Amino acid sequence: MNEHRKRTNLTTSGMAAVLSCLLFFSCNNEDILEDNSNITGNACDNICFGISPDGNVQTRGNTVSGEDGYTSERFVLRSQDSADTLCVRAIVSDGIHSPVFGDRQAITRGTPVSEDNFYDSFHVLAYWKKNGTLVEEQFYMDADVTKKGNNLWSSDRTYYWPGAEHILQFYAWAPVSGAFETEPTTPESTTLTYTVPSDAADQKDIVVASPDETPGNYNAAQSLTFNHICTAVRFVTGSQMQPGTIRSVALKGVRHNGSYDLATGEWTLNDNVTNFTQSLDKEMSGNETDGTEVATGEATFMMLPQTLPTNAKVEVVFYSTVTNTERTLEAAIENMEWPQGKTVTYKLSISPEYEFKLEDENPVLDAHYDILLTKLIVSDIPAGMGWTVTAPTLNDEEVTIQKQDDMNSYAKQGYWTDSYAKGTVSGGLQITGSARGEQVYRGSGNGEFPIAVFVPENIGEDSRAVELSVRIDGSDDIVQTLTLIQLAPNWYGNGIGCERIESKQVPWGFYWDENFKIIYDLESCNDDDRISIRRYIEWTQGLHDASGWPLIGWLIRLIFGDDIPDLSFVDIEESGYWPNKKADKITINLGSLSTEGIAESEIDGVQNTREIYNFAGIQFVNEIINRIQNIPGNQVRTEGKGVFPTNNASIACMKLNSWDIIEANDEYILSLTGGSEVMDPKWYLPAKDEILGISDEEYPLEDNHWTSTAVKGNNERAYKYSADGTSSEELRNAELKVRAVRKKP
């Protein structure tokens, strides 16, 4: 073979190769290059390679349980001479599963290749076009490549880029020694032939890279993305196993040899079949964790991807210590798929494996009172079979689950509602029911179930797991656990911690001129809705009037506090006759309310947040607005300039607390959990000086955030703070990020 390399002084050549690869720059060291009759122009830089980070990493599916994939098949292993069975669920996951191990020698013995344990070398072929015509006589490069530096690989022989008149097509594969029966010997061939070794420990995790054609003057490290071209087949335990010993596992009647085309990325398999068996003697206690490996990583079957032929089988030989018998259990797997570059995990269990998962792959919740809106996705449940999902108790507070359709209107707005309650003459609140579902959620059959998971605040030092336990009706055994992660506050100093996950940007709020009005036209709306909103406005006015009465006034103030508005700034036009008078038009004259003098503290964010939320009974006005906005057909317009009071930074923080829904005379209003004596929210918008020193390495602050501090003597501005630790004034209608804080208990 005519090798395309320069013969220069050894020291000079070696240094040039190393420097060119390390620095990734083009050179013009023509003085060290000699003429070569096989290439034209001046060669520049030696050919070296970098492994793309997308290539040899496992994508999803590298968990021990294999739950990151999808269920492709379910079947039952049966014995010919007994009623014994084993249920099997086949899970297909992306990538090749790579368990944790430290012995690099294992790489050459069937252990799947990963980013951290790539083969020590790979082979590269470079097909060569000169002026657009394939050079058929020879490869431009045909060499083993080894690692020379930080993700830089090159051959011992130096190959130079041939220049602009040439195009190179690289193909690379690993392992390089003894894997293939034949390899391409001329540019007319692009196929590798392979037969799977009978011993699983000798079966290779074959990886191949085939980048696009590369110009001959590329003069930089060629990136190679390696892909797995076999199928990993493994066995793990399911949720329930009988005590005993798994003597062996076998794949029978499967195709085991064929050719792989480097150019097309496709296998062509021969029709002959064979059996693969592993003797294991794996003892089972019956208490194994779901997903326990039956065979170690070295014993993972590395098979050819295929649609399994007629008479293909899975076989498990199992000795039961319960019955003191050994049985051979098998099932047909013909026509099932072993996809290329994926892992097929067979989960063994004495009972059927059901599949429950959440729409969110890895739900992460914030430290405050949080609501996870998700879908519970259930499959492979027999029709009509019931099941339950049970939430835990964390630090004496229950996690609860509720259908999204059953959520109350406040929870749908984002408030974390705890209980329904009524006031009593004795001076307390009587809890009448849950406002967030129950600890046990019940369902049946398969499908998608939209649920809301209400998780109490985590005020510890560390994140915590929130485990939802799934059971099948008629059994106390947990068949699956769905895990959420709830973060802890980032306690950044001064006894204050912040939430971690920022929501959408909002205005500071309380920004309007003296002419600002919100006007709702309801004449085209349903009569019942118009009557209902009229009654609520009158009910609120009645609360205000009655709050000054003896005894009943004391009870009203106890339940609702002292900030019940007289609604003198709310005008209502009505039609019809009592008691069914209908609201025709409602005008909210916010411009008549001055916001001067509220929320001006630079050190007390709790006070600021409370003042904003309770300003002139604005929470009652917000209730009016929210109710109207839920009336189909309402028409809204504004006069003057301003921001709706329902949308502001303090409300965004207040929603992160626990709330009760208080009932009085068939109407409802929110109150912080505990009644009106609980005036201070736990989670609040920090004041200007409270935010000093805030930081979060895991969830860093970026851009600008609101404080709760208004600029004194200015109805248009409030203070913001930046990620760099500085604060400045900003118009209140600007939309900025919010990070609620909490004092450490």
Side-chain angles (χ1 to χ4, degrees), residues 107 134 278 300 383 394:
I107 298 168
L134 179 68
Q278 294 187 43
T300 298
L394 303 172

Side-chain angles (χ1 to χ4, degrees), residues 356 376 385-391 401 439-444 468-473 475 477 479-480:
F356 293 79
L376 177 64
M385 177 177 282
W387 43 264
T388 60
V389 181
T390 303
I401 309 172
Q439 274 193 287
V440 179
Y441 176 87
R442 304 183 183 277
S444 64
L468 310 179
S469 303
V470 181
R471 294 176 173 83
I472 301 298
D473 285 1
S475 174
D477 296 326
V479 300
Q480 202 166 329

Side-chain angles (χ1 to χ4, degrees), residues 38-308:
N38 293 295
I39 57 176
T40 61
N42 292 315
C44 185
D45 290 339
N46 65 297
I47 297 175
C48 53
F49 303 91
I51 296 176
S52 167
D54 295 330
N56 56 0
V57 300
Q58 290 84 32
T59 55
R60 303 165 52 205
N62 60 349
T63 63
V64 173
S65 67
E67 294 293 343
D68 287 340
Y70 64 90
T71 299
S72 63
E73 301 285 347
R74 293 178 181 270
F75 52 92
V76 179
L77 300 171
R78 303 183 185 276
S79 172
Q80 295 183 351
D81 54 1
S82 78
D84 295 342
T85 61
L86 273 178
C87 299
V88 183
R89 178 156 68 106
I91 303 169
V92 177
S93 47
D94 292 339
I96 297 295
H97 173 83
S98 181
V100 178
F101 61 90
D103 184 7
R104 286 186 58 85
Q105 281 299 112
I107 298 168
T108 64
R109 301 181 57 243
T111 301
V113 174
S114 69
E115 183 179 15
D116 297 329
N117 61 15
F118 194 70
Y119 291 109
D120 293 328
S121 62
F122 55 86
H123 194 83
V124 176
L125 289 179
Y127 293 70
W128 179 22
K129 288 182 182 178
K130 180 179 178 182
N131 295 321
T133 302
L134 179 68
V135 179
E136 298 180 350
E137 301 83 24
Q138 63 188 79
F139 297 112
Y140 188 81
M141 182 177 183
D142 184 2
D144 291 345
V145 173
T146 57
K147 194 172 185 178
K148 305 296 186 182
N150 184 20
N151 196 29
L152 288 169
W153 304 66
S154 65
S155 61
D156 291 339
R157 294 176 176 176
T158 302
Y159 294 84
Y160 288 91
W161 291 99
E165 296 180 0
H166 307 264
I167 294 176
L168 298 180
Q169 173 64 66
F170 294 102
Y171 295 117
W173 66 81
V176 298
S177 60
F180 303 103
E181 295 173 337
T182 64
E183 301 172 357
T185 57
T186 69
E188 296 177 345
S189 172
T190 56
T191 58
L192 305 165
T193 59
Y194 179 69
T195 296
V196 180
S198 59
D199 190 340
D202 296 326
Q203 295 164 6
K204 311 298 184 182
D205 179 15
I206 304 172
V207 291
V208 170
S210 54
D212 294 335
E213 291 182 338
T214 304
N217 61 346
Y218 187 64
N219 298 342
Q222 170 70 52
S223 178
L224 296 177
T225 298
F226 281 92
N227 297 304
H228 302 272
I229 66 170
C230 293
T231 303
V233 180
R234 54 195 289 267
F235 290 81
V236 303
T237 64
S239 57
Q240 290 182 301
M241 278 296 293
Q242 196 178 86
T245 302
I246 298 177
R247 299 293 195 200
S248 63
V249 294
L251 306 171
K252 292 191 167 184
V254 301
R255 297 185 177 95
H256 65 111
N257 55 27
S259 60
Y260 179 83
D261 194 324
L262 295 164
T264 65
E266 296 179 352
W267 282 97
T268 301
L269 304 187
N270 300 324
D271 290 332
N272 52 309
V273 298
T274 192
N275 304 331
F276 297 92
T277 302
Q278 294 187 43
S279 297
L280 303 172
D281 288 330
K282 176 73 171 182
E283 294 185 1
M284 298 280 116
S285 68
N287 298 314
E288 280 71 26
T289 303
D290 186 24
T292 298
E293 297 268 1
V294 171
T296 63
E298 290 184 33
T300 298
F301 291 108
M302 288 293 178
M303 298 286 99
L304 299 184
Q306 59 190 280
T307 300
L308 291 159

Side-chain angles (χ1 to χ4, degrees), residues 312-607:
K313 296 178 180 179
V314 166
E315 179 190 273
V316 175
V317 179
F318 183 75
Y319 174 80
S320 172
T321 56
V322 177
T323 61
N324 291 321
T325 56
E326 182 174 290
R327 302 296 187 192
T328 299
L329 308 170
E330 63 180 26
I333 54 173
E334 59 185 52
N335 296 321
M336 297 183 186
E337 292 291 332
W338 284 352
Q340 181 174 311
K342 297 183 183 291
T343 296
V344 176
T345 300
Y346 291 122
K347 296 189 73 174
L348 309 177
S349 180
I350 60 174
S351 60
E353 287 282 332
Y354 309 111
E355 186 167 5
F356 293 79
K357 64 180 181 180
L358 299 176
E359 182 181 35
D360 316 73
E361 186 175 345
N362 295 298
V364 177
L365 304 181
D366 217 330
H368 51 68
Y369 292 89
D370 209 341
I371 306 173
L372 173 65
L373 300 177
T374 185
K375 289 181 181 176
L376 177 64
I377 303 172
V378 184
S379 57
D380 301 307
I381 298 290
M385 177 177 282
W387 43 264
T388 60
V389 181
T390 303
T393 297
L394 303 172
N395 295 333
D396 298 326
E397 292 189 279
E398 295 180 349
V399 178
T400 57
I401 309 172
Q402 188 176 44
K403 294 180 180 178
Q404 289 188 24
D405 287 345
D406 292 343
M407 294 171 64
N408 61 76
S409 61
Y410 301 107
K412 290 179 178 179
Q413 295 171 38
Y415 288 92
W416 200 94
T417 55
D418 187 27
S419 301
Y420 290 98
K422 287 184 176 180
T424 64
V425 178
S426 61
L429 289 173
Q430 177 187 355
I431 303 300
T432 59
S434 171
R436 55 185 179 98
E438 305 295 336
Q439 274 193 287
V440 179
Y441 176 87
R442 304 183 183 277
S444 64
N446 304 301
E448 296 185 353
F449 302 85
I451 61 172
V453 184
F454 289 74
V455 182
E457 64 175 349
N458 175 19
I459 53 175
E461 298 290 337
D462 302 307
S463 299
R464 64 185 180 185
V466 182
E467 295 185 339
L468 310 179
S469 303
V470 181
R471 294 176 173 83
I472 301 298
D473 285 1
S475 174
D476 293 331
D477 296 326
I478 297 174
V479 300
Q480 202 166 329
T481 300
L482 307 174
T483 302
L484 325 175
I485 299 298
Q486 186 180 30
L487 304 172
N490 182 51
W491 303 108
Y492 62 89
N494 300 319
I496 298 178
C498 65
E499 65 173 322
R500 319 297 300 281
I501 304 171
E502 298 165 352
S503 57
K504 66 179 182 180
Q505 301 184 100
V506 294
W508 193 88
F510 290 81
Y511 178 82
W512 49 70
D513 61 23
E514 61 184 9
N515 300 313
F516 184 57
K517 298 178 180 179
I518 304 173
I519 305 166
Y520 289 100
D521 187 344
L522 305 178
E523 290 190 77
S524 61
C525 299
N526 179 280
D527 285 355
D528 289 341
D529 291 329
R530 293 166 64 188
I531 294 170
S532 177
I533 193 65
R534 187 268 302 168
R535 288 176 175 172
Y536 180 78
I537 293 172
E538 291 180 350
W539 174 84
T540 304
Q541 184 65 57
L543 278 183
H544 174 268
D545 296 342
S547 65
W549 297 355
L551 186 60
I552 187 67
W554 168 80
L555 180 59
I556 290 172
R557 292 191 300 274
L558 177 70
I559 298 172
F560 300 110
D562 297 323
D563 296 303
I564 303 173
D566 62 5
L567 295 187
S568 60
F569 55 92
V570 178
D571 300 326
I572 180 169
E573 297 181 13
E574 304 171 334
S575 62
Y577 301 94
W578 186 263
N580 294 319
K581 296 176 73 174
K582 301 181 289 289
D584 296 332
K585 184 168 73 173
I586 296 172
T587 302
I588 303 172
N589 300 283
L590 288 175
S592 66
L593 303 176
S594 173
T595 61
E596 189 173 344
I598 67 164
E600 294 181 347
S601 175
E602 296 186 0
I603 60 172
D604 193 343
V606 172
Q607 175 183 315

